[in-house]
Amino acid sequence: MEIRQPIHSEHAKRLDTEGLRKEFLIENLFCEGEMNLTYSHIDRIIVGGVVPTTQPLALMAGKALGVDFFLERRELGAINIGGAGKVIIDGEVFEIGPREAIYIGMGAKSVEFTSDSVETPARFYINCAPAHHTYPTRKITQQQASPEKLGNAENCNVRTIYKFLHPSVLPTCQLSMGMTVLEPGSLWNTMPCHTHERRMEVYLYFDMKDDNVVFHYMGEPTETRHLVVRNEQAVISPSWSIHSGVGSASYTFIWGMVGENQVFHDMDHVAMKDLK
């Protein structure tokens, strides 16, 4: 598990392209037959990609967590962006198809991920956060994920937001996750942009061809920077940073949030005239 320290906004202003990518971009999440995890000290979120092939892949506790089992003091959400697979939790099997999610409450001792097909393996994207209470484990389909359509063609941002882990769908301690699907011809997400001091966020971009990119905008509203993001890469967004992007073609992204406020619309909007 890679460990990343938090970065102050004043420090981020002084980073060059390589420095920004090193601190905020997660590039190699999904590798067949592997589980890759990044632990960020920003709100203690763990971000990971799990691609089981011939053997199950299990969550294992280590020195970084200092506990007997991975979810002893944590909750976890996983969204499958690959082929059909299964999550086995303390012996109970949950079938998780493409674009389906699972919430796993604190206290689950054994968590294994498997794929139904080696040729088209599942690709589980996970977010994991500290927890203080055990809520029931539950599978969530895309139809159950409280869809909300936003945007318009004039602003190139017609999109549907699916709120998989959200108070309107199920209870969690602090973790929220959802998936935003842009329609063909729409390229912008989260513009006009915002910040939220009470929680951080991670964006995973996917459904992109090899020659397509997303320009992800970050930084304080009056001191913006950008990251060039490719397929199945994620961006860590601190609470002081905007998080907005535009692609060379349409794409899909998963947002995950941890912090002390789960109200989806709790945000500090930034006027377009104030961006620099």
Side-chain angles (χ1 to χ4, degrees):
M1 179 162 22
E2 180 187 0
I3 308 295
R4 298 200 187 185
Q5 296 181 357
I7 299 296
H8 194 281
S9 57
E10 290 297 320
H11 181 186
K13 293 177 184 179
R14 293 162 175 78
L15 295 175
D16 61 9
T17 297
E18 271 313 302
L20 287 171
R21 293 177 69 85
K22 178 182 177 182
E23 299 294 345
F24 299 106
L25 183 66
I26 306 174
E27 296 187 78
N28 299 307
L29 269 170
F30 297 94
C31 298
E32 292 198 359
E34 296 182 9
M35 175 186 297
N36 293 303
L37 303 176
T38 298
Y39 184 125
S40 172
H41 284 185
I42 303 174
D43 282 318
R44 305 282 174 180
I45 191 171
I46 296 175
V47 180
V50 186
V51 189
T53 51
T54 57
Q55 299 293 328
L57 295 175
L59 290 173
M60 304 296 291
K63 182 179 179 182
L65 298 183
V67 291
D68 293 329
F69 54 95
F70 199 93
L71 295 183
E72 183 176 338
R73 299 177 59 84
R74 284 179 165 268
E75 60 184 355
L76 183 143
I79 299 177
N80 183 8
I81 65 171
K86 296 180 178 66
V87 182
I88 306 166
I89 305 165
D90 292 335
E92 185 176 0
V93 178
F94 294 83
E95 296 185 0
I96 310 298
R99 307 295 177 99
E100 293 184 339
I102 187 167
Y103 169 77
I104 307 174
M106 181 185 73
K109 292 185 176 180
S110 172
V111 180
E112 293 185 326
F113 300 86
T114 68
S115 293
D116 291 359
S117 168
V118 174
E119 289 73 26
T120 56
R123 303 172 83 81
F124 293 101
Y125 174 64
I126 67 174
N127 285 181
C128 181
H132 61 276
H133 180 82
T134 299
Y135 287 108
T137 293
R138 180 181 155 188
K139 169 184 172 178
I140 311 101
T141 67
Q142 191 168 345
Q143 292 72 30
Q144 295 170 330
S146 186
E148 180 180 358
K149 193 164 185 176
L150 297 173
N152 55 70
E154 181 181 1
N155 291 317
C156 304
N157 65 351
V158 182
R159 62 202 189 277
T160 302
I161 300 174
Y162 296 92
K163 303 170 189 173
F164 284 97
L165 273 60
H166 184 267
S168 64
V169 178
L170 51 73
T172 67
C173 290
Q174 64 165 317
L175 180 61
S176 297
M177 289 182 76
M179 181 171 64
T180 299
V181 181
L182 276 75
E183 294 192 3
S186 287
L187 306 172
W188 276 102
N189 71 71
T190 327
M191 184 60 78
C193 59
H194 62 264
T195 60
H196 26 68
E197 289 289 342
R198 292 153 293 279
R199 59 191 177 208
M200 62 85 68
E201 193 158 2
V202 178
Y203 271 25
L204 170 75
Y205 291 99
F206 67 106
D207 275 353
M208 298 162 58
K209 295 180 180 178
D210 289 342
D211 57 347
N212 288 337
V213 299
V214 168
F215 292 88
H216 177 95
Y217 294 96
M218 60 165 294
E220 293 181 296
T222 57
E223 190 83 27
T224 60
R225 302 288 188 270
H226 77 271
L227 294 167
V228 176
V229 184
R230 292 177 170 82
N231 190 46
E232 296 186 349
Q233 295 181 347
V235 179
I236 299 170
S237 180
S239 59
W240 48 260
S241 177
I242 66 168
H243 33 281
S244 180
V246 61
S248 56
S250 61
Y251 52 91
T252 303
F253 71 96
I254 292 173
W255 44 269
M257 295 185 285
V258 270
E260 59 186 344
N261 196 325
Q262 291 183 303
V263 178
F264 186 78
H265 295 289
D266 173 42
M267 58 189 72
D268 301 312
H269 293 279
V270 179
M272 297 292 278
K273 65 180 177 61
D274 294 331
L275 284 173
K276 294 181 181 178

